[in-house]
Amino acid sequence: MTTIGILGAGKVGTVLAGLAARSGYRTLIAASGDPAQIELIVEVLSPGTTAASSEEVARAADVVILAIPLGRLHTIPRAALAGKIVIDAMNYWPPTDGMLEQFERDGASSAVVAASLPDSLVVKALNHLGYHELEQDSRPAGAADRHAIAIAGDDEDAVRAVADIVDRLGFDPVIAGTLGEGARFGPGTELFGVSTTRAEVERLLAPAVSPSTRRSA
Amino acid sequence: MELGIYSFGELIANQNDDSAKSIHARFAQIVELAKLADAGGLDAIALGEHHRPDFSMSAPEVVLAAIASVTTRLRLMSGVTVLSSQDPVRVFEQFATLDHLSNGRAEIIAGRGAFTESFPLFGYDLHDYDELFDEKLKLLLRIRDEPVITWRGRFRAPLHEATISPRPVQKQLPIWVGIGGTPASAVRAGSLGLPMVMGFFAGPEQFVSRVALYHRAAEQAGHDRATLRLAVSGHMYVGRTSQQARDDFYPYYSRYFQQAGLPFAANGFPRDAYDAWISAGLPVGSPQQVIDAIMRRVELLGIDRFMGQIDVGNLPWAMTLDSLELYMTEVAPVLKRETAAVAS
């Protein structure tokens, strides 16, 4: 059985953990500190998942989802993530994240995440819906009102594996292209914050990326 | 239940109408809104602190002091005080002063804030976002509860047998925790046994779990459930008819999100997303629709105070006044009656 690890027990992390557990994955979740501090949160918000330390989650999981504030990127256990698929569900948006020098300088946030994890297979996904939409819009495969989630990554096998996870979590996966194409569904794009059908996600992904939207994703 | 309004005093450039064109005019509007709310039987007003040119009400406690002098019953709240980048000693001094000027009507909503511009402005590191709030909230509570205080922490000079003056009129100055959905914030409020304000815009469903978390955390810490209190704040617009309210409000709401720089509205707030929010429970519509939306918050979350952002997007003044009038005459009385009937 695949084990999914979530780093981050905030709004997005707790919802993704709950979804993963309901979808039949063994699911572990960590916040930055002592796992005991999030036990109540996990019990109430993400039943069926286990709180552990970041290090334990990164070691035990086959696939790790990053759902932490980008300003804390430097705190994740890099070595334990080597060789693993890492899903970047984060976004960079200066009004709420504050200005982060590295992200201002280096462009697309996924590129910064990937550069900080050179030995992992980074895939961008699960970042363009709000946490309440992730929770409320999950549907079984084939449901008429099923919504879709865009995915971008450089490693084809990793992208396929993430597409399978997105599907099991209750959304149609739509592959946007390489990691750089993640800019097409980052903050400031038409797709960002929109929970909608596969056809509509495909349509919103279609326009060429302008330099201004690429920078902010 | 109690009903109130709140404002951020934002200046959005709505050119060809009677919206305020300067912060000077906006302050005058806010004081006027408070007078109307006081005369119209509302219970509270909250003013939010920001530090950016388009949201220039950086010192809401000063505006609240002006309001104190022209009102008699309205509760006067910050909403929120960005406590992480303030000095709790100074915050307490200001609100205790406000409490005297208003004869015991001051309340603080302490929050981490949705924006981060106050951190560099006051010399704080965003990396300490959560630690700052935690330490300062606990210090603020100690100042409230202990007339003479000795304290030592990470982010402020130590206090040695300090007397913080003045002491407020109220026996205990109400201090709420404002949360925007972060689970740990609900746990913090519950563990400290503090009343909690939940800020959200569309449907209340996603906050049911936050209320459960709040109650569980309070219970674990040994707080009596009867001492806990919940409120909701959020955007609101009341019009005469459902469709007209929806259409009239939309352009201002869309521009508000766009100019505030929210990541889902870089090109304006899509109309279908707006309509979906209303279907989910955003209180925009006829008086009956707004009553229903607020009533759902009462039923699902157990709140006994609702605060509506009355002038969101720096609406034209006439629209703000109409919405306030309908809220005071057709929404609030019905909600008060219905919730009183349930309680008795």
Side-chain angles (χ1 to χ4, degrees):
Chain A
M1 187 171 61
T2 306
T3 297
I4 291 192
I6 320 266
L7 295 184
K11 300 181 211 181
V12 174
T14 52
V15 166
L16 290 175
L19 273 182
R22 285 201 293 283
S23 307
Y25 291 107
R26 177 174 170 245
T27 309
L28 304 172
I29 182 168
S32 52
D34 180 355
Q37 288 179 340
I38 58 164
E39 261 169 23
L40 184 60
I41 291 174
V42 169
E43 184 192 328
V44 175
L45 300 187
S46 320
T49 71
T50 307
S53 72
S54 303
E55 184 73 30
E56 286 164 344
V57 168
R59 276 189 197 292
D62 303 299
V63 175
V64 173
I65 303 176
L66 301 182
I68 57 173
L70 273 176
R72 291 195 183 260
L73 185 63
H74 62 282
T75 66
I76 62 175
R78 263 166 238 217
L81 294 172
K84 297 190 177 183
I85 295 173
V86 174
I87 303 178
D88 172 15
M90 304 175 293
N91 295 292
Y92 176 52
W93 194 246
T96 49
D97 292 321
M99 286 283 186
L100 301 173
E101 202 184 315
Q102 193 182 17
F103 289 87
E104 289 294 314
R105 195 180 57 224
D106 294 349
S109 70
S110 287
V112 177
V113 174
S116 77
L117 293 168
D119 300 324
S120 304
L121 302 164
V122 175
V123 176
K124 179 111 184 154
L126 302 166
N127 67 301
H128 69 84
L129 296 198
Y131 72 101
H132 40 281
E133 281 124 3
L134 285 168
E135 175 109 80
Q136 287 169 10
D137 297 345
S138 162
R139 298 284 185 280
D145 59 346
R146 205 179 203 218
H147 286 182
I149 282 178
I151 302 171
D154 292 337
D155 184 282
E156 277 183 36
D157 291 339
V159 168
R160 250 195 306 278
V162 173
D164 180 56
I165 290 169
V166 165
D167 192 31
R168 278 182 64 182
L169 294 183
F171 296 88
D172 284 336
V174 175
I175 296 167
T178 60
L179 198 59
E181 302 297 312
R184 293 179 186 236
F185 52 93
T189 64
E190 275 189 83
L191 184 49
F192 191 79
V194 173
S195 179
T196 188
T197 59
R198 169 191 284 274
E200 192 61 7
V201 168
E202 285 170 348
R203 188 185 73 79
L204 291 171
L205 279 173
V209 183
S210 72
S212 65
T213 56
R214 185 184 291 278
R215 198 188 70 83
S216 60
Chain B
M1 74 175 298
E2 294 180 340
L3 290 141
I5 55 173
Y6 73 97
S7 175
F8 291 161
E10 71 278 20
L11 272 175
I12 307 292
N14 296 317
Q15 294 300 333
N16 301 310
D17 52 43
D18 66 346
S19 61
K21 303 294 187 285
S22 68
I23 190 62
H24 188 84
R26 202 77 169 86
F27 285 142
Q29 277 189 350
I30 289 168
V31 174
E32 182 63 22
L33 287 173
K35 276 163 77 174
L36 292 169
D38 194 63
L42 292 184
D43 302 290
I45 187 166
L47 302 179
E49 171 197 333
H50 295 82
H51 301 269
R52 42 190 276 180
D54 52 346
F55 287 70
S56 42
M57 189 158 44
S58 53
E61 50 286 310
V62 179
V63 186
L64 290 170
I67 290 172
S69 68
V70 293
T71 56
T72 57
R73 52 185 306 278
L74 218 48
R75 308 289 302 170
L76 308 175
M77 316 173 77
S78 60
V80 302
T81 291
V82 185
L83 191 59
S84 314
S85 51
Q86 290 226 43
D87 176 2
V89 172
R90 188 70 179 140
V91 168
F92 189 84
E93 288 175 347
Q94 286 167 329
F95 280 86
T97 303
L98 178 66
D99 205 44
H100 282 275
L101 296 173
S102 64
N103 288 315
R105 293 185 280 138
E107 304 189 13
I108 298 170
I109 306 176
R112 298 186 306 174
F115 297 107
T116 51
E117 66 278 330
S118 67
F119 286 77
L121 187 64
F122 293 106
Y124 291 104
D125 187 342
L126 256 179
H127 285 121
D128 300 323
Y129 186 67
D130 205 55
E131 293 81 357
L132 276 165
F133 185 71
D134 203 64
E135 177 175 303
K136 293 190 176 203
L137 179 60
K138 285 171 181 161
L139 173 55
L140 182 65
L141 293 173
R142 282 199 54 199
I143 295 168
R144 178 185 70 171
D145 298 333
E146 300 171 30
V148 180
I149 176 172
T150 297
W151 176 94
R152 180 177 291 277
R154 240 183 99 191
F155 299 109
R156 190 203 184 285
L159 297 167
H160 183 69
E161 293 177 15
T163 306
I164 314 298
S165 303
R167 301 310 295 175
V169 173
Q170 296 176 86
K171 209 175 289 168
Q172 194 183 54
L173 196 65
I175 297 174
W176 300 70
V177 174
I179 78 159
T182 299
S185 298
V187 171
R188 177 185 288 123
S191 304
L192 295 170
L194 295 175
M196 179 169 81
V197 186
M198 297 167 276
F200 62 87
F201 311 127
E205 283 78 9
Q206 79 243 33
F207 275 80
V208 171
S209 62
R210 273 43 177 181
V211 169
L213 203 48
Y214 171 73
H215 281 140
R216 285 287 304 279
E219 191 187 316
Q220 275 190 2
H223 298 293
D224 180 359
R225 194 165 170 143
T227 64
L228 302 175
R229 194 169 177 201
L230 291 163
V232 160
S233 64
H235 304 147
M236 176 182 77
Y237 180 74
V238 198
R240 293 198 186 273
T241 67
S242 162
Q243 194 59 44
Q244 198 194 343
R246 192 180 276 236
D247 293 344
D248 287 352
F249 184 56
Y250 173 68
Y252 300 99
Y253 200 40
S254 177
R255 215 168 305 159
Y256 173 71
F257 280 137
Q258 190 173 12
Q259 296 204 11
L262 293 176
F264 55 84
N267 311 297
F269 189 37
R271 176 67 197 232
D272 50 353
Y274 170 70
D275 289 334
W277 279 27
I278 293 175
S279 304
L282 176 72
V284 170
S286 66
Q288 189 57 50
Q289 278 180 305
V290 172
I291 290 167
D292 292 345
I294 298 172
M295 205 55 201
R296 255 180 78 217
R297 286 152 167 72
V298 174
E299 287 163 2
L300 277 178
L301 307 176
I303 60 165
D304 66 1
R305 184 184 281 182
F306 174 83
M307 307 288 290
Q309 193 173 351
I310 193 70
D311 54 1
V312 55
N314 189 19
L315 285 177
W317 183 232
M319 280 176 72
T320 303
L321 291 178
D322 281 350
S323 177
L324 177 63
E325 176 71 16
L326 288 169
Y327 182 53
M328 294 191 302
T329 57
E330 297 192 28
V331 174
V334 176
L335 283 165
K336 281 179 182 281
R337 208 160 50 231
E338 286 188 11
T339 50
V342 171
S344 63

